[in-house]
């Protein structure tokens, strides 16, 4: 557990009376019923230790992602792999975007590395552009951390730009860490897994957390063709780090392809509706390709919504953002209506 340590993320609803949590960007359809059934069936086996090698889970992930089993490592949530990766690599020079997911910098800090940031701007709709290539030439990093789509902006990085970045990495022997945890719920993006066999320096982070609404299970995985890196990362985590229930849930979820297709349909429709409602109130909304929206509004909006039992993500602790920036998940229409009505009521008051 965290002990006297700040938790800079959404989802902490345990000391408040929250009815609707928009601070966590999970699949709006919830957890597949088949996964819940599988967890219930596995409860009778909890007297056993989980498989320390996640054999069935690795096989299921390999079939789902269409990659070799030898290129997969499973973990207790995606965050575990961020820290494991940094512990093994221990770079002196790293580059990341800003704003972006905070755990890359926190993990690097643990190993005495402060990353250089490529600042994204509201004027450019927080898009990652070719200027990032110039940044790489100037900083000459050992490793690059990218979140695609980026969190909290929701912007997908253009596949053509990702290919240019990869070419620089190959030419300059730079490691490339790409977080694709939200990609399966996004539009317009392409996974970099097709490059795994071309460049050993590529590491892709993914998770069941958001795609299958399994945050409480804690199940992530990484993909790379660097077998030496995987062995070293495996030595940094505790044995049995992926629970019996998590392994069973992941095996079943990996078969739920139609579930993701339906979720993307709902997300696309509801994201447009939410964006329109926020703009009607005069808020600036970042164009998003993902299952969440970043917007700029009233500085105390999150506090006022908490009084209505609704939690949103205050983004003022993201580097490059200030008070008034918020992120909301895209949920089902009735839930989105409740959020929109609550915000309207606050603005009217």
């Amino acid at each position: 557990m965290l002990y006297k340590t700040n938790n800079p993320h959404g989802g902490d609803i345990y000391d408040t009376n929250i009815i609707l949590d928009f601070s966590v960007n999970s699949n709006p359809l919830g957890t597949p019923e088949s996964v819940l059934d599988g967890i219930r069936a596995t409860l009778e086996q909890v007297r056993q230790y989980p498989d320390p090698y996640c054999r069935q889970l690795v096989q299921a992930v390999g079939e789902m992602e269409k990659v070799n089993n030898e290129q997969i490592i499973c973990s207790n949530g995606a965050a575990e792999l961020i820290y494991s990766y940094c512990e093994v690599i221990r770079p002196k020079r790293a580059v990341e975007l800003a704003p972006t997911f905070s755990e890359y910098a926190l993990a690097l800090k643990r190993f005495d590395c402060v990353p250089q940031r490529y600042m994204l701007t509201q004027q450019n709709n927080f898009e990652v552009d070719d200027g990032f290539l110039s940044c790489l030439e100037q900083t000459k990093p050992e490793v690059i951390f990218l979140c695609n789509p980026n969190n909290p902006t929701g912007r997908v990085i253009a596949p053509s730009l990702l290919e240019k970045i990869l070419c620089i990495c190959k030419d300059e022997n730079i490691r490339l860490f790409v977080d694709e945890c939200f990609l399966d719920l996004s539009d317009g993006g392409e996974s970099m897994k097709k490059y795994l066999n071309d460049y050993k320096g590529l590491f892709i982070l993914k998770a069941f957390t958001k795609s299958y609404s399994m945050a409480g299970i804690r199940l992530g995985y990484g993909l790379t063709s660097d077998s030496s890196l995987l062995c070293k990362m495996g030595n940094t985590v505790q044995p049995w780090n992926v629970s019996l229930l998590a392994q069973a849930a992941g095996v079943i979820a990996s078969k739920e392809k139609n579930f993701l297709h339906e979720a993307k349909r709902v997300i696309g429709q509801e994201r447009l509706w939410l964006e329109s409602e926020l703009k009607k109130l005069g808020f600036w909304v970042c164009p998003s390709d993902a299952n969440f929206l970043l917007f700029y509004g009233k500085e105390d909006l999150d506090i006022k919504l908490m009084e209505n039992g609704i939690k949103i993500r205050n983004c003022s602790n993201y580097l490059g953002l200030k008070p008034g920036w918020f992120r909301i998940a895209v949920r089902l229409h009735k839930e989105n209506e409740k959020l929109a009505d609550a915000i309207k009521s606050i603005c009217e008051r």
Side-chain angles (χ1 to χ4, degrees):
M1 71 174 212
L2 291 178
Y3 181 72
K4 294 184 178 180
T5 304
N6 289 328
N7 174 31
H9 303 293
D12 187 359
I13 60 172
Y14 297 98
D15 64 346
T16 52
N17 185 26
I18 296 298
I19 301 170
L20 282 173
D21 184 11
F22 281 82
S23 70
V24 173
N25 311 318
S26 293
N27 190 317
L29 301 184
T31 312
E33 194 61 36
S34 62
V35 172
L36 297 177
D37 290 340
I39 292 173
R40 296 184 191 104
T42 309
L43 288 173
E44 298 178 2
Q45 304 172 36
V46 294
R47 70 177 65 185
Q48 302 171 212
Y49 280 101
D51 178 358
Y53 301 105
C54 300
R55 293 172 179 89
Q56 289 187 358
L57 178 59
V58 166
Q59 181 68 31
V61 170
E63 293 174 358
M64 176 178 69
E65 297 287 3
K66 296 180 174 55
V67 301
N68 296 329
N69 291 359
E70 294 76 17
Q71 298 176 332
I72 301 168
I73 184 170
C74 299
S75 62
N76 186 344
E80 182 179 50
L81 290 180
I82 297 173
Y83 283 84
S84 174
Y85 182 88
C86 290
E87 182 175 353
V88 171
I89 301 301
R90 295 177 181 260
K92 298 300 180 185
R93 301 183 310 281
V95 167
E96 67 171 7
L97 306 173
T100 197
F101 187 51
S102 61
E103 291 300 328
Y104 316 134
L106 290 172
L108 289 166
K109 181 181 178 182
R110 185 174 293 185
F111 304 103
D112 300 320
C113 178
V114 178
Q116 297 286 323
R117 271 81 176 217
Y118 181 73
M119 301 302 298
L120 306 175
T121 65
Q122 180 182 359
Q123 291 74 20
N124 197 31
N125 289 331
F126 293 102
E127 183 176 357
V128 186
D129 54 25
D130 283 346
F132 186 69
L133 304 178
S134 300
C135 172
L136 299 182
E137 293 178 3
Q138 295 170 5
T139 56
K140 301 187 183 304
E142 298 168 59
V143 60
I144 302 166
F145 286 83
L146 293 177
C147 190
N148 186 38
N150 191 33
N151 177 15
T153 65
R155 301 304 309 271
V156 159
I157 304 174
S160 58
L161 180 58
L162 282 172
E163 191 171 350
K164 292 177 184 178
I165 294 170
L166 183 66
C167 288
I168 291 175
C169 289
K170 293 169 71 174
D171 291 341
E172 302 295 333
N173 196 28
I174 301 170
R175 289 188 176 272
L176 178 58
F177 184 106
V178 183
D179 182 343
E180 296 185 355
C181 286
F182 289 106
L183 193 61
D184 289 338
L185 298 178
S186 303
D187 297 323
E190 291 183 11
S191 175
M192 296 202 74
K193 62 187 178 183
K194 61 184 177 182
Y195 299 111
L196 285 174
N197 294 326
D198 295 334
Y199 186 50
K200 291 179 64 174
L202 173 63
F203 185 93
I204 298 172
L205 181 69
K206 299 201 72 170
F208 289 86
T209 305
K210 306 302 190 300
S211 298
Y212 300 94
S213 200
M214 287 165 46
I217 288 290
R218 310 306 304 133
L219 182 57
Y221 58 97
L223 308 175
T224 183
S225 59
D226 189 343
S227 57
S228 175
L229 173 64
L230 291 183
C231 287
K232 292 175 182 176
M233 290 177 66
N235 287 328
T236 67
V237 300
Q238 62 174 319
W240 310 294
N241 63 322
V242 184
S243 74
L244 192 75
L245 299 180
Q247 292 187 38
V251 169
I252 296 170
S254 69
K255 316 298 182 186
E256 289 280 358
K257 295 179 181 178
N258 290 334
F259 182 78
L260 292 182
H261 291 317
E262 175 61 14
K264 287 183 68 172
R265 185 192 67 79
V266 171
I267 290 166
Q269 178 177 304
E270 290 301 313
R271 185 177 61 226
L272 288 174
W273 186 86
L274 270 173
E275 181 180 357
S276 175
E277 293 299 303
L278 291 171
K279 286 182 175 179
K280 287 177 185 177
L281 294 170
F283 297 162
W284 188 90
V285 185
C286 181
S288 174
D289 306 297
N291 60 319
F292 51 91
L293 287 169
L294 176 71
F295 68 95
Y296 186 73
K298 298 171 65 68
E299 288 190 12
D300 62 347
L301 182 62
D302 58 325
I303 298 172
K304 297 296 185 183
L305 284 171
M306 288 274 280
E307 297 172 0
N308 292 271
I310 299 174
K311 187 177 182 66
I312 64 175
R313 176 68 159 90
N314 186 316
C315 292
S316 59
N317 67 325
Y318 279 92
L319 184 67
L321 299 180
K322 60 183 181 180
W325 285 102
F326 301 99
R327 189 196 68 201
I328 56 172
V330 176
R331 298 187 56 146
L332 298 178
H333 189 68
K334 288 185 178 180
E335 298 167 324
N336 295 334
E337 281 186 321
K338 290 179 180 179
L339 173 64
D341 288 343
I343 295 177
K344 289 175 188 176
S345 179
I346 290 168
C347 290
E348 289 171 358
R349 292 201 303 269

